[in-house]
Amino acid sequence: MTTRRPPWALAGILAGLAGLATSYATAMVLTIRESPVVAVAELVIRLTPGAVAERAISVLGHLDKPALVAGIVVLLLACFAFAGVLARRTWWLPVVVWTVLAGIGLVAVVSQRGAGPVDSLPVVVGLLTWITVHSALTDALRREQRRPELGSRERRVFLMVAGVVSVASLGIAVTGRLVGAGRRHVETSRRLLRIPGVTRRQAPADTSLGLAGIAPWQTPNEDFYLIDTTIAKPTIEPEEWSLRIHGLVERELNLTYSELVARPMTESWITLNCVSNEVGGGLVGNARWSGVRLATLLSGLGISDEADCVLQTSHDGWFCATPLEVLTDERDAMLAVAMNGRPLPIEHGFPVRTVVPGLYGYVSATKWVVDLEVTTFDKAVGYWTTKGWSAEGPVKIASRIDVPRSGDDVEAGQVSVGGVAWHQHTGIAAVEVQVDGGPWQKAELGKVPSVDTWVQWAVTVDVPEGDHELRVRATGKDGDVQTSVVRAPDPDGATGLHTIEISAS
């Protein structure tokens, strides 16, 4: 038995899983936002070049972060097995492996924004668990090495210890999960929260054209796209949230949640979309946002004439630099506290996030926002700007065909085509559809309450039998016609005309 690798590898894997369980449980009990594994995953995200991150998002979509965590776990299992096999030779080689892994976890944890000494405790607990449990599991294997005649008895001892470790690890992880129910408590607080001035209005009349298959004009909260760099979403009680506005101002402002929601509330329908959205992609949605206008907050602080941007920082450490001009003009740039008439979902920034019409989210939409520094672009740089994206991100005009879908078989003759188009803070003047490179045919547009939302469009075109290509283009209210030049999302948003292929019979 002792000359074969599998028992030793199993001992390493079980010890490794036990360490992960105890470190996870410790993080949950102490209500630390991130376990060491998640911290490592987020460190990888921060260090990943922008082009690689963009490729991962385009290929995996919302599964990019689960895939990253799964990959880290698989790599850890391989390291655990390797440590176990090394124990056949000597006791100290596995300790080196455990220490190196703990060191990586410690670096990831302490590099998180606002990390303190207590955040390192899960790593320490995990390391001690690895060493202790691995020693207990390999004791029987070592005794068999020394006295082969006791092989049968020591094999039973090993299996018994392995079983106990497995059950205990599962129990510890589950217990930690139950005890560390911080998120559920915050979710309850969110659900019971009533914010003065927030209303639950339905989408305005005539915004929907009634063509089945077009994305709803108002995107439900649960269907709104999610893009951020964090894996463990911050869970912040409203009474624990505060915002500091400082920098190139005569007077700093510190706001609590209760002070913020006591101010006059603004409500606006605003479409948000991610700069990573490919032509025809789904990283876009429209909702009714409620909050306090940033222009009002900033107007009384005595902003210096040299200031030209605001560095926004999230509770999880993410940051972006936003042009000061767009936060202080007539648009409803706001500190949002509600989405579609309800307090923000945790995933969308509860209790407070920023929403800025007309800019891509990577330079404006900070979830869980806690700090606004009025500064200058030559001193401030955003998270994605450090990875090669443009410093400023005005939304580009775009349109998308939702029905029919690419690859659909349709009945030859009159075919209804429809979708959405957007050019936030400019508005859409016209949408046209082209069949097989023929003349552009103008579509009907739904009504919208402002230039900050997308618009539904629909048109009926004649499609004879055979295979066909449909494409769409939009024209903004400023006369800007959507370009057919194809460009990737980086560094400042994708361009090109959404094109689909269908068959008619």
Side-chain angles (χ1 to χ4, degrees):
M1 175 179 175
T2 56
T3 59
R4 294 182 295 114
R5 291 187 176 186
W8 296 91
L10 178 60
I13 290 173
L14 291 176
L17 291 176
L20 292 184
T22 56
S23 66
Y24 171 79
T26 302
M28 293 299 100
V29 170
L30 296 177
T31 64
I32 295 172
R33 187 176 69 86
E34 297 176 342
S35 68
V37 171
V38 173
V40 170
E42 295 197 343
L43 179 61
V44 171
I45 291 174
R46 293 197 301 273
L47 297 178
T48 299
V52 177
E54 168 62 28
R55 180 61 178 169
I57 292 172
S58 64
V59 173
L60 299 173
H62 295 323
L63 297 177
D64 59 339
K65 298 180 186 67
L68 173 59
V69 173
I72 290 173
V73 171
V74 170
L75 182 60
L76 282 173
L77 290 175
C79 292
F80 297 158
F82 178 62
V85 172
L86 288 177
R88 293 193 308 164
R89 298 170 53 188
T90 179
W91 66 269
W92 63 268
L93 284 176
V95 174
V96 173
V97 176
W98 303 131
T99 303
V100 169
L101 292 176
I104 294 172
L106 186 61
V107 169
V109 167
V110 300
S111 67
Q112 300 295 299
R113 181 178 182 271
V118 70
D119 295 276
S120 304
L121 190 56
V123 178
V124 175
V125 171
L127 175 60
L128 294 177
T129 303
W130 282 338
I131 295 174
T132 303
V133 173
H134 194 215
S135 177
L137 285 168
T138 55
D139 273 350
L141 300 179
R142 295 191 189 284
R143 286 194 296 269
E144 185 181 354
Q145 277 183 327
R146 293 192 297 268
R147 300 184 63 181
E149 69 275 11
L150 301 178
S152 179
R153 188 188 74 176
E154 299 304 332
R155 186 178 296 111
R156 290 194 297 271
V157 172
F158 171 77
L159 293 176
M160 181 182 68
V161 174
V164 171
V165 168
S166 299
V167 173
S169 299
L170 180 61
I172 289 171
V174 171
T175 301
R177 180 69 176 178
L178 294 175
V179 174
R183 178 187 171 92
R184 286 196 298 276
H185 189 274
V186 172
E187 187 58 56
T188 299
S189 300
R190 189 194 74 83
R191 188 173 64 253
L192 298 176
L193 190 62
R194 298 294 180 267
I195 306 173
V198 173
T199 61
R200 297 182 182 177
R201 298 184 185 176
Q202 298 298 315
D206 301 325
T207 54
S208 175
L209 295 177
L211 179 59
I214 299 180
W217 186 82
Q218 179 181 2
T219 308
N221 290 358
E222 60 271 18
D223 295 334
F224 211 96
Y225 76 94
L226 284 169
I227 293 291
D228 49 59
T229 62
T230 186
I231 294 175
K233 311 304 180 188
T235 50
I236 309 168
E237 294 284 0
E239 61 268 22
E240 295 175 353
W241 178 88
S242 65
L243 174 73
R244 180 188 179 208
I245 305 178
H246 61 107
L248 297 177
V249 295
E250 294 178 1
R251 295 169 295 280
E252 288 193 10
L253 178 63
N254 290 277
L255 279 174
T256 65
Y257 187 80
S258 59
E259 290 171 339
L260 177 68
V261 298
R263 288 173 174 260
M265 197 71 58
T266 185
E267 296 189 301
S268 296
W269 295 98
I270 299 172
T271 295
L272 300 182
N273 61 293
C274 181
V275 70
S276 298
N277 200 32
E278 299 280 356
V279 173
L283 300 181
V284 57
N286 186 59
R288 184 172 179 80
W289 303 93
S290 308
V292 176
R293 294 188 75 238
L294 280 161
T296 303
L297 286 174
L298 294 170
S299 63
L301 302 185
I303 297 176
S304 169
D305 291 338
E306 65 179 293
D308 61 8
C309 81
V310 173
L311 182 65
Q312 305 185 42
T313 303
S314 166
H315 183 273
D316 71 334
W318 188 85
F319 54 95
C320 71
T322 308
L324 178 63
E325 179 184 4
V326 304
L327 300 180
T328 54
D329 62 14
E330 81 287 353
R331 76 187 76 195
D332 270 340
M334 69 176 78
L335 291 175
V337 295
M339 179 181 183
N340 286 327
R342 299 179 182 274
L344 294 170
I346 290 176
E347 291 79 6
H348 287 287
F350 180 81
V352 183
R353 65 169 294 168
T354 49
V355 172
V356 182
L359 295 187
Y360 288 119
Y362 83 103
V363 295
S364 66
T366 304
K367 301 175 184 176
W368 317 288
V369 63
V370 294
D371 189 274
L372 299 177
E373 180 185 0
V374 180
T375 182
T376 58
F377 272 112
D378 62 347
K379 295 179 181 178
V381 63
Y383 174 90
W384 284 105
T385 305
T386 64
K387 296 179 179 293
W389 295 75
S390 296
E392 300 185 38
V395 169
K396 294 181 177 178
I397 188 170
S399 56
R400 186 182 76 198
I401 300 173
D402 286 347
V403 58
R405 301 288 182 181
S406 190
D408 279 357
D409 292 322
V410 301
E411 185 175 346
Q414 297 293 295
V415 175
S416 294
V417 183
V420 288
W422 59 91
H423 195 188
Q424 293 96 301
H425 207 58
T426 298
I428 297 295
V431 174
E432 300 167 291
V433 171
Q434 185 185 63
V435 181
D436 298 330
W440 288 98
Q441 302 178 53
K442 194 170 184 178
E444 176 189 0
L445 301 183
K447 294 183 179 180
V448 292
S450 77
V451 296
D452 290 330
T453 77
W454 64 7
V455 60
Q456 287 192 357
W457 60 267
V459 63
T460 299
V461 298
D462 185 61
V463 180
E465 291 187 1
D467 297 331
H468 302 280
E469 182 180 83
L470 307 181
R471 63 171 53 185
V472 61
R473 73 179 182 187
T475 300
K477 288 189 175 181
D478 58 356
D480 183 20
V481 179
Q482 188 177 348
T483 179
S484 61
V485 177
V486 177
R487 291 194 178 93
D490 62 302
D492 57 3
T495 64
L497 303 183
H498 188 210
T499 303
I500 68 169
E501 296 179 350
I502 62 173
S503 296
S505 58

